[in-house]
Amino acid sequence: MLNTLLPILLFAALTLAVIGAAKRFFMWRRGRPAKVDWIGGLLKMPRRYLVDLHHVVERDKYMSKTHVATAGGFVLAAVLAIVVHGFGLHNRILGFALLAATVLMFTGALFVAKRRLNPPSRLSKGPWMRLPKSLLMFAASFFIATLPVAGILPPDFGGWVLAIILAVGVAWGVSELFLGMTWGGPMKHAFAGALHLAWHRRAERFGGGRSTGLKALDLNDPKAPLGVEKPTDFTWNQLLGFDACVQCGKCEAMCPAFAAGQPLNPKKLIQDMVIGLAGGNDANFAGSPYPGKPLGEHSGGPHQPIVDLNGKALVDAETLWSCTTCRACVEECPMMIEHVDAIVDMRRHLTLEKGSTPNKGAEVLENLIATDNPGGFNPGGRLNWAADLNLPLLADKGETDVLFWVGDGAFDMRNQRTLRAFVTILKAADVDFAVLGLEERDSGDVARRLGDEATFQHLARRNIATLTKYRFKRIVSCDPHSFHVLKNEYGALGGNYQVLHHSTFIEELVRKGSLNLGQSKAASVTYHDPCYLGRYNGEYEAPRAVLKAIGIEVKEMERSGFRSRCCGGGGGAPITDIPGKQRIPDMRMVDIKETGAELVAVGCPQCTAMLEGVVAPRPEIKDIAELVAEVLIEATEVAAKRPAAKRELAEVQ
Amino acid sequence: MTDLNIVALVSVGAHPTSARPRRAEQDARAVELGLRLAGQNLQLLHAGDPQAEALRGYLGMGLEQLDVLEQPEGADALPLLVDYLQGSRTQLVLTGSQAETGEGSGMLPFLLAERLGWPMVVGLAEVEKVENGVAQVLQALPRGQRRRLKVRLPCVASVDNAAPVARQSAFGPARRGQIEAHEVTVVDDTLLAEASLQPAKPRPKRLKVIKAKTGAERMKAATAKASGGGGQILKDVSPQEGAEAIFKLLIEEGVLR
């Protein structure tokens, strides 16, 4: 009896799963076209899954082992079950193999069940609580049903009673594991996830690569949408990516905005996009809501606007503006979903079409358009900070080894100390360098992250036009944001440069022995990794090496390196200033204080500003350039020369 | 929102520190006020070069069209605007108080109202309601004070920094918006051609002498109405007497000699 029932069950489930898969596929294809390598992507998928994705999952050893056993066991068991029970190939060896696979899967599923006993808040509940039971049921049913095939039990063992029980078990198992994959159950992550890996919009990320620059909008085509208004404005493989979410909540656990009580939860955002893709409301979402926003009030559909500025749609605008673009979610995501891209895409629509950048956003963008700096300062004052430093201008030299990209920190009195320290180092190491001076403009970082792609491209194109006039080997910047944009985002507009962060450059100088350094007196020091240097560009080592070279042993924070917590200053978040329960820099300062450090070394003007904004008593904040300049042996000579230069200037005026 | 026929006069502005062309601050506020009153029915009107990119800044506030009376630099905008507005069914003309480029004399709204024979409201802050061709408006006075006025329509109203801040100008609508150029007979500005321009000097500030001894007095001084002190209220006098009183004051103040 089982021999007739099982093939019917298996093939019925498979057929329905294929229909569901087709339905889902056409749902994704409602998105805008995207160029993908259809066949090549599919061929590379197993490697991406087994290597790249596994690397991310491996950070949580318990889960990676559990997943290998469960998923590996399931895939084997499913294939063998189709052969053995579906096609009736009752071979003893195959039977034993199937038994082994189900045992493996059952063991894994036990650990899945164990973690679900007292699940952390980041995990989604609801249907996900049912999944371990379904896995156990699938494995157990096929185990028992296969025993006769392996010859361990007689073929008609148990009679029709056991047959019916097994049939029910198998039906439950295949419903969850075959049907659920394509009809929207928890197992959907396996189907959508595999295809997401195959047709990922940033294929460069696989094989140890890095792809963090935002993708440019085509502003020359007046018909192309300016950002994303409704779910179908995403590219289709972005929609596919959202569907791959396994709701593990690793992003939620890392998101600084969520921890600060701002109305953002990256996991919920991705699930909202899935709701938008399929249509419906968020009442059945089984995870943590956006802080302060109850479930069940928001709904949407593929062709409905995601944000309604005068009411409620799928997502509220302030959710999108809470993001600091720190990329902690993307770094954590075992499915390699691109949260930040999606958020900036939706911001683009709000800024470029609706003109609704909140709080100081509009003012900052207007300043960038009118004065090339976000503060609205007179562009003629861009080099005032270096009035007494006699900096070589690239316009005079025409050619240089190192182009020092000053950045908008030039207008900020705190950051000017860092810049001056770095100039001291450059001079001490006798580096052939020059600055653009008044020819430099804002890199466009903040405009782009506020969604104003037009202003970004305008600034970028003018900067590129300036840079094309001159010859230089490398660009060095003290600002990780300028560094990232110049390095990773100007390329699409025709500007390809070799760009270094000043910490990398100083490390190189130290290694070459160009700097005569003493030992720092700073007693206990910790180091805060800037997001745009670390997660965006993978530079964790150089700043630490520099600190080590001046005799500083870094007391690492619990969240450092790729897990560093954002200072709250990225993505225009201080400008849009969405209220939460606490401030992100305050939380970061708690992290810093936990190490017992009296000084925190930083490498970013934004981090400096945000951390110095925390009320005292708190550890001192110093840029790496300042720490190095302090222990320069030549420092005394330079200091002796300085007053003379100043007097000269005073006489001129 | 009412179905008034509103025209906002817009000009090309200049940023105060970089001097780059932009939408003029006060004109943008006039557009904002107009948008709140009439929404998409607001008409934007500019006299000058239809190619000026800065004009798109106004379209970016969410309007589909901007009409330009095409004229070269240095031509007189006034007769064109008078002609255009006389022939239209405009009920309310909104402008900024003073242009950021060109002459920037701040005279245009006054001259326009004079030529059209319409009333003129300075410092419009809000239009409360419009009934039977009469608008009830709030006029901004110094120190945050407001005066409620009833004005017969059609009228000209200028806005200053007391009017609501202009909304953000968005790239999409700015790019899509249509700039409609109208050919008109250009009138040369003979005064501008003959007169010589000289840089304006900042008006000297009156010294502020604080005599107050207590906090309450300081508060009173800070919130008191700006007043010359020697004012005089004339009530129930004949037009003849009123005119004589004004004439006398103008001679005393040295305006007329």
Side-chain angles (χ1 to χ4, degrees):
Chain A
M1 187 169 146
L2 259 187
N3 290 345
T4 36
L5 256 183
L6 280 184
I8 294 173
L9 273 176
L10 272 173
F11 287 116
L14 278 176
T15 316
L16 285 172
V18 169
I19 295 172
K23 207 175 147 226
R24 208 79 201 167
F25 183 77
F26 287 111
M27 250 187 219
W28 302 326
R29 293 289 289 168
R30 285 184 201 151
R32 287 192 302 121
K35 243 191 166 171
V36 297
D37 181 1
W38 290 98
I39 305 295
L42 280 177
L43 291 176
K44 284 180 196 136
M45 187 260 283
R47 196 188 143 74
R48 291 174 179 177
Y49 174 76
L50 294 170
V51 180
D52 299 286
L53 186 138
H54 184 73
H55 276 325
V56 185
V57 182
E58 185 70 5
R59 293 171 190 165
D60 180 351
K61 293 268 189 305
Y62 177 98
M63 211 44 230
S64 99
K65 293 205 173 76
T66 305
H67 194 261
V68 167
T70 320
F74 163 65
V75 171
L76 261 177
V79 173
L80 288 168
I82 291 168
V83 174
V84 173
H85 296 295
F87 294 106
L89 201 70
H90 288 193
N91 177 306
R92 271 193 80 175
I93 300 167
L94 285 180
F96 272 109
L98 178 50
L99 285 180
T102 51
V103 168
L104 181 65
M105 181 181 171
F106 192 85
T107 320
L110 281 178
F111 284 97
V112 180
K114 187 179 160 221
R115 197 175 64 146
R116 287 279 160 183
L117 284 180
N118 190 12
S121 67
R122 65 178 169 84
L123 288 178
S124 288
K125 317 294 184 302
W128 295 86
M129 298 304 277
R130 182 186 75 209
L131 183 60
K133 294 176 199 130
S134 311
L135 292 167
L136 290 171
M137 188 57 79
F138 180 94
S141 306
F142 274 106
F143 180 80
I144 299 170
T146 311
L147 285 175
V149 180
I152 296 171
L153 288 176
D156 50 356
F157 179 81
W160 60 269
V161 179
L162 183 67
I164 286 178
I165 293 174
L166 281 181
V168 170
V170 167
W172 177 354
V174 294
S175 303
E176 183 77 275
L177 288 154
F178 291 177
L179 291 188
M181 240 189 222
T182 57
W183 288 90
M187 283 307 291
K188 185 186 64 178
H189 78 272
F191 166 62
L195 297 181
H196 166 58
L197 290 180
W199 302 318
H200 199 281
R201 78 190 302 244
R202 291 179 183 274
E204 311 89 293
R205 282 185 71 189
F206 302 110
R210 191 172 289 279
S211 167
T212 54
L214 291 172
K215 307 238 173 204
L217 269 188
D218 181 6
L219 296 176
N220 295 324
D221 177 7
K223 288 206 183 78
L226 299 169
V228 166
E229 179 186 18
K230 43 196 196 300
T232 48
D233 288 337
F234 284 111
T235 61
W236 74 269
N237 55 351
Q238 275 180 298
L239 294 176
L240 164 60
F242 302 145
D243 227 10
C245 175
V246 65
Q247 301 196 34
C248 66
K250 295 238 159 115
C251 50
E252 171 186 322
M254 284 296 155
C255 178
F258 179 79
Q262 288 172 271
L264 171 65
N265 173 354
K267 179 174 96 175
K268 170 86 164 53
L269 184 83
I270 297 302
Q271 284 313 306
D272 281 350
M273 296 303 112
V274 175
I275 291 170
L277 163 76
N281 75 45
D282 68 349
N284 293 327
F285 177 64
S288 321
Y290 299 126
K293 304 223 177 261
L295 294 176
E297 293 178 355
H298 293 80
S299 61
H303 303 290
Q304 287 163 24
I306 295 171
V307 178
D308 181 352
L309 292 172
N310 304 312
K312 281 192 170 120
L314 191 54
V315 175
D316 292 340
E318 50 177 8
T319 294
L320 303 176
W321 296 112
S322 295
C323 176
T324 67
T325 68
C326 75
R327 237 182 126 76
C329 46
V330 184
E331 184 75 38
E332 285 301 321
C333 182
M335 278 297 183
M336 308 189 124
I337 297 170
E338 298 283 345
H339 311 64
V340 176
D341 283 2
I343 288 175
V344 173
D345 279 342
M346 290 184 275
R347 285 185 179 183
R348 282 173 175 170
H349 175 75
L350 293 179
T351 293
L352 294 174
E353 282 292 353
K354 297 275 185 261
S356 67
T357 326
N359 287 323
K360 291 279 170 191
E363 191 183 320
V364 165
L365 294 175
E366 264 177 35
N367 286 338
L368 281 169
I369 293 167
T371 63
D372 302 329
N373 68 76
F377 298 104
N378 188 341
R382 192 172 271 279
L383 213 51
N384 287 2
W385 64 277
D388 58 336
L389 293 181
N390 200 14
L391 291 187
L393 286 177
L394 195 48
D396 299 337
K397 290 177 78 175
E399 187 175 350
T400 183
D401 271 358
V402 169
L403 168 60
F404 174 27
W405 187 274
V406 178
D408 290 322
F411 293 102
D412 173 55
M413 289 177 81
R414 169 63 185 90
N415 189 241
Q416 290 169 5
R417 300 215 301 266
T418 307
L419 296 173
R420 294 178 69 94
F422 186 59
V423 170
T424 313
I425 295 168
L426 287 174
K427 287 185 173 169
D430 219 3
V431 176
D432 174 29
F433 78 101
V435 295
L436 282 176
L438 302 188
E439 287 184 287
E440 190 184 303
R441 294 170 187 89
D442 179 89
S443 63
D445 164 73
V446 90
R448 186 167 231 197
R449 268 138 266 271
L450 286 177
D452 194 344
E453 181 74 2
T455 301
F456 164 74
Q457 290 196 11
H458 189 56
L459 286 166
R461 284 186 204 284
R462 286 191 297 155
N463 276 325
I464 291 170
T466 305
L467 292 171
T468 334
K469 290 195 294 185
Y470 304 115
R471 295 212 304 181
F472 53 87
K473 292 198 182 111
R474 297 187 293 182
I475 301 177
V476 176
S477 177
C478 296
D479 173 12
H481 295 263
S482 308
F483 159 64
H484 166 70
V485 170
L486 284 165
K487 182 173 172 224
N488 302 317
E489 298 190 349
Y490 275 24
L493 305 172
N496 292 296
Y497 315 105
Q498 199 189 341
V499 195
L500 298 179
H501 183 245
H502 70 311
S503 63
T504 317
F505 187 69
I506 296 174
E507 195 264 341
E508 199 183 290
L509 292 178
V510 170
R511 223 172 343 106
K512 281 197 301 193
S514 317
L515 289 170
N516 195 359
L517 294 173
Q519 294 290 297
S520 173
K521 288 185 197 72
S524 56
V525 180
T526 186
Y527 170 68
H528 165 76
D529 287 278
C531 310
Y532 277 74
L533 182 61
R535 274 188 293 272
Y536 274 82
N537 287 291
E539 183 59 278
Y540 304 108
E541 289 313 313
R544 289 176 169 83
V546 171
L547 292 173
K548 202 174 167 202
I550 56 171
I552 290 174
E553 201 178 317
V554 176
K555 291 185 170 181
E556 291 290 356
M557 284 181 262
E558 195 186 315
R559 283 184 63 173
S560 64
F562 75 88
R563 285 219 161 116
S564 171
R565 196 207 290 264
C566 178
C567 70
I575 296 160
T576 54
D577 198 23
I578 303 300
K581 292 206 168 55
Q582 51 184 334
R583 295 178 64 247
I584 298 173
D586 289 347
M587 296 191 301
R588 188 54 172 163
M589 193 51 83
V590 171
D591 293 351
I592 293 166
K593 282 178 180 168
E594 270 173 13
T595 65
E598 290 160 12
L599 190 146
V600 49
V602 291
C604 170
Q606 284 291 339
C607 300
T608 316
M610 295 308 282
L611 293 175
E612 286 202 335
V614 177
V615 286
R618 53 152 172 75
E620 206 181 340
I621 290 120
K622 274 194 181 162
D623 194 276
I624 287 189
E626 291 180 280
L627 289 167
V628 172
E630 273 172 17
V631 297
L632 271 180
I633 305 284
E634 290 95 328
T636 46
E637 293 168 36
V638 176
K641 273 182 207 158
R642 230 184 239 163
K646 241 183 195 167
R647 212 171 298 134
E648 254 171 55
L649 255 177
E651 278 163 20
V652 171
Q653 283 172 349
Chain B
M1 227 180 267
T2 52
D3 35 4
L4 276 176
N5 286 319
I6 304 180
V7 172
L9 304 184
V10 296
S11 62
V12 174
H15 191 272
T17 60
S18 69
R20 276 188 208 156
R22 60 162 190 178
R23 59 173 184 172
E25 162 80 24
Q26 289 181 344
D27 292 354
R29 285 178 191 255
V31 175
E32 176 66 37
L33 203 63
L35 273 171
R36 290 189 189 189
L37 282 170
Q40 281 297 323
N41 295 328
L42 174 70
Q43 190 193 351
L44 298 181
L45 187 61
H46 171 68
D49 176 15
Q51 303 297 325
E53 272 302 301
L55 292 176
R56 297 212 165 261
Y58 298 106
L59 291 168
M61 295 171 75
L63 285 151
E64 280 157 20
Q65 196 187 321
L66 188 152
D67 293 293
V68 178
L69 309 177
E70 195 170 351
Q71 61 165 24
E73 213 176 318
D76 194 353
L78 187 66
L80 308 185
L81 292 173
V82 171
D83 271 359
Y84 186 90
L85 291 170
Q86 256 170 351
S88 72
R89 292 172 42 214
T90 308
Q91 289 162 290
L92 178 61
V93 176
L94 296 169
T95 78
S97 302
Q98 190 179 8
E100 294 172 2
T101 53
E103 276 175 85
S105 65
M107 288 296 286
L108 184 106
F110 296 97
L111 294 173
L112 194 61
E114 185 188 31
R115 294 266 196 105
L116 290 168
W118 295 357
M120 156 88 197
V121 179
V122 184
L124 182 70
E126 195 187 328
V127 177
E128 291 184 316
K129 60 178 177 191
V130 180
E131 269 175 1
N132 308 324
V134 176
Q136 182 178 315
V137 304
L138 288 185
Q139 183 185 36
L141 298 176
R143 292 163 206 265
Q145 296 178 94
R146 295 288 182 268
R147 175 155 56 197
R148 183 165 285 134
L149 298 174
K150 279 196 174 156
V151 194
R152 178 177 45 80
L153 298 180
C155 81
V156 179
S158 71
V159 306
D160 56 22
N161 290 348
V165 179
R167 67 192 62 184
Q168 187 176 356
S169 175
F171 173 80
R175 184 174 67 170
R176 275 193 304 274
Q178 295 291 326
I179 294 184
E180 205 76 35
H182 299 269
E183 271 197 38
V184 284
T185 357
V186 173
V187 182
D188 288 333
D189 191 340
T190 45
L191 182 63
L192 183 67
E194 287 165 15
S196 62
L197 287 174
Q198 62 185 57
K201 268 188 233 152
R203 196 194 295 172
K205 268 191 185 152
R206 228 171 243 184
L207 280 179
K208 205 173 175 187
V209 185
I210 300 175
K211 291 185 210 127
K213 295 234 161 49
T214 64
E217 281 173 8
R218 270 196 296 278
M219 185 66 184
K220 207 176 155 194
T223 52
K225 280 186 189 175
S227 59
Q232 175 186 5
I233 297 172
L234 299 175
K235 263 188 181 168
D236 302 325
V237 290
S238 70
Q240 179 72 26
E241 284 166 316
E244 275 169 11
I246 294 170
F247 190 66
K248 197 170 139 237
L249 179 75
L250 291 178
I251 289 177
E252 273 170 22
E253 293 283 328
V255 178
L256 296 176
R257 264 177 279 200

